[in-house]
Amino acid sequence: MVDLKGQYEEIKETVNSSVLEVIDSTAFINGPKVHEFQQNLEKYLGVKHVIPCANGTDALQIAMMGLGLNQGDEVITADFTFAATVEVIALLGLTPVLVDVEPDTFNIDVNAIKKAITPNTKAIVPVHLFGQCANMDAIMDIAREHNLYVIEDNAQAIGANYTHKDGSKAKAGTIGHVASTSFFPSKNLGCYGDGGAIFTNDDDLAHTIRGIVNHGMYRRYYHDVVGVNSRLDSIQAAVLNTKLPKLDDYNTRRKEAANKYDDAFKEANNIIVPFRNGTDDSHVFHQYTLKIKNGKRDALVEHLNSQGIPCGVYYPVPLHSQKAYQDSRYNEADFTVTNQLIKEVISLPMHTELDDEQIAFITSTVINFVNG
Ligand SMILES: *Cc1c(COP(=O)(O)O)cnc(C)c1O
């Protein structure tokens, strides 16, 4: 699905010397590379504060802790996402409220959010799934109207641009009150282990969060709030400093591969290519996800495996049906889109090193099988 080796070969010298510099310096934790990365990422995103942490799941949890949400507060999020999003809501003793997504973008459905709001609702967590922003203008409008926090789960869309109604643009993860991201190796900006970060434009929230990631300390050995230990280590920061200047190029290469996939599938029946919001910079294709409309998705997965073509089904089970997250208040009729998507979606190989020959082989194999 990804080719991390090919990408590494291209930056090997720089990345190796930067990592060795960290080892030489022995500044493994909170070293200058971490601070440098924080500033580089703030500049790239155009956001006031980046707080690096240990992984994307921690980033989400810490963002919610920073907002001071309390036990029993309801947090609305998408039914169709990676479990990390709902897991941290539940872990904090908050009440996850899962809602349906849009059939074209796969992102949280604004009308479903409106329907799910109660007096206990405190926050909305839109997930920018597969590399494209949720409908942030509408979500921010709802949040203003009902006095809710918006926490963007931006693990899959770093570098994507969102175009507001008035035509102005913002980077994914800089629109809500706070956002989280992940630097897991296969993400669009991946390090060589675990890593994550929180972004916000709110000075007070940033201050609170900087304490939370460090055991709730604002002064050494004085613990004002209950915190966690969540750090980005200097070696990972060294890798990220090397890769961040290439992020736009990496995302362009993904988009070029997506365009070639789209072209190849243009005339094919029963295969729906990923929907794009309109502007050319809106989608960074963390995944390239097709919908197979003639019931052959599962058979296609098997066929691709037999042909040595990697593929993935993200996600095969809606969160509301997962044992850990079932809730008697859920009604199947409110999840018609997710219940359908889990039967139709398939993600094809997507990375910065895909060449024309690979794309031609993958697309012809898919088309011949689906319509054969
Ligand atoms: C990857 C991912 C996360 C979690 O990131 P980790 O760094 O693996 O903890 C959270 N949300 C979404 C949508 C993700 O894709």
Side-chain angles (χ1 to χ4, degrees):
M1 287 296 277
V2 296
D3 180 1
L4 296 175
K5 184 89 182 158
Q7 199 188 56
Y8 170 60
E9 290 299 332
E10 233 182 60
I11 54 171
K12 192 168 182 168
E13 270 174 44
T14 333
V15 101
N16 284 6
S17 71
S18 184
V19 166
L20 281 177
E21 215 181 289
V22 173
I23 300 173
D24 260 345
S25 76
T26 69
F28 298 117
I29 302 291
N30 284 336
K33 296 271 187 216
V34 177
H35 190 63
E36 194 187 314
F37 174 63
Q38 173 201 321
Q39 290 180 320
N40 290 341
L41 189 56
E42 283 166 356
K43 199 179 301 162
Y44 173 83
L45 292 169
V47 74
K48 267 175 103 174
H49 305 281
V50 165
I51 302 113
C53 67
N55 58 67
T57 309
D58 271 11
L60 260 177
Q61 175 178 333
I62 293 158
M64 287 178 206
M65 291 170 77
L67 291 171
L69 301 179
N70 294 310
Q71 202 131 42
D73 287 350
E74 292 176 6
V75 179
I76 298 174
T77 193
D79 189 37
F80 192 63
T81 172
F82 182 55
T85 320
V86 67
E87 174 180 281
V88 298
I89 300 172
L91 266 178
L92 291 174
L94 311 170
T95 304
V97 178
L98 297 166
V99 302
D100 214 356
V101 297
E102 301 174 337
D104 51 0
T105 64
F106 311 125
N107 279 324
I108 194 163
D109 182 325
V110 169
N111 290 318
I113 296 177
K114 286 184 189 158
K115 228 180 113 182
I117 291 175
T118 75
N120 296 324
T121 307
K122 289 289 149 51
I124 307 168
V125 185
V127 182
H128 303 321
L129 205 72
F130 302 154
Q132 182 165 248
C133 281
N135 185 350
M136 288 305 291
D137 279 338
I139 292 168
M140 295 311 290
D141 283 346
I142 298 173
R144 264 186 295 273
E145 188 184 335
H146 296 272
N147 204 18
L148 309 175
Y149 291 120
V150 174
I151 304 152
E152 294 173 75
D153 181 344
N154 194 33
Q156 300 191 0
I158 195 158
N161 283 305
Y162 179 76
T163 305
H164 290 290
K165 277 179 292 201
D166 67 4
S168 64
K169 284 179 193 282
K171 286 266 183 252
T174 66
I175 304 161
H177 299 91
V178 60
S180 61
T181 199
S182 164
F183 306 121
F184 186 79
S186 64
K187 306 282 169 159
N188 290 39
L189 179 61
C191 59
Y192 293 169
D194 274 310
I198 302 140
F199 328 143
T200 184
N201 283 309
D202 181 327
D203 297 341
D204 293 336
L205 181 59
H207 174 75
T208 304
I209 287 174
R210 286 207 179 89
I212 292 174
V213 298
N214 188 25
H215 302 289
M217 281 194 287
Y218 298 89
R219 239 189 332 151
R220 209 164 166 73
Y221 300 121
Y222 289 81
H223 305 271
D224 296 353
V225 295
V226 177
V228 295
N229 170 25
S230 188
R231 297 184 280 238
L232 180 72
D233 73 65
S234 304
I235 289 179
Q236 300 310 334
V239 173
L240 290 165
N241 278 328
T242 307
K243 289 180 78 174
L244 180 58
K246 304 190 66 101
L247 177 59
D248 284 343
D249 176 49
Y250 289 156
N251 283 340
T252 300
R253 278 146 74 175
R254 286 171 177 271
K255 199 166 55 192
E256 282 166 3
N259 290 344
K260 288 175 190 163
Y261 274 138
D262 276 7
D263 267 354
F265 291 127
K266 208 165 46 197
E267 308 283 315
N269 293 324
N270 302 312
I271 298 171
I272 311 285
V273 300
F275 176 86
R276 309 188 195 194
N277 269 334
T279 55
D280 190 48
D281 52 0
S282 70
H283 206 319
V284 293
F285 290 97
H286 176 60
Q287 297 294 349
Y288 183 88
T289 303
L290 298 173
K291 287 186 283 190
I292 306 299
K293 299 303 278 185
N294 61 351
K296 287 176 96 170
R297 197 277 312 272
D298 286 340
L300 176 63
V301 170
E302 266 180 49
H303 181 68
L304 294 181
N305 286 338
S306 76
Q307 299 295 301
I309 298 174
C311 63
V313 171
Y314 310 114
Y315 297 90
V317 182
L319 289 176
H320 80 273
S321 306
Q322 297 282 2
K323 245 191 199 165
Y325 303 112
Q326 283 168 7
D327 188 319
S328 58
R329 288 175 300 180
Y330 293 144
N331 184 345
E332 283 308 314
D334 291 330
F335 298 102
T336 50
V337 176
T338 320
N339 286 340
Q340 182 76 16
L341 288 178
I342 55 151
K343 296 182 213 144
E344 293 179 352
V345 290
I346 181 168
S347 300
L348 299 181
M350 175 47 75
H351 52 81
T352 54
E353 318 298 313
L354 277 171
D355 63 35
D356 289 356
E357 205 181 318
Q358 289 169 323
I359 290 175
F361 176 60
I362 295 165
T363 53
S364 62
T365 308
V366 170
I367 293 169
N368 290 338
F369 184 80
V370 171
N371 295 321

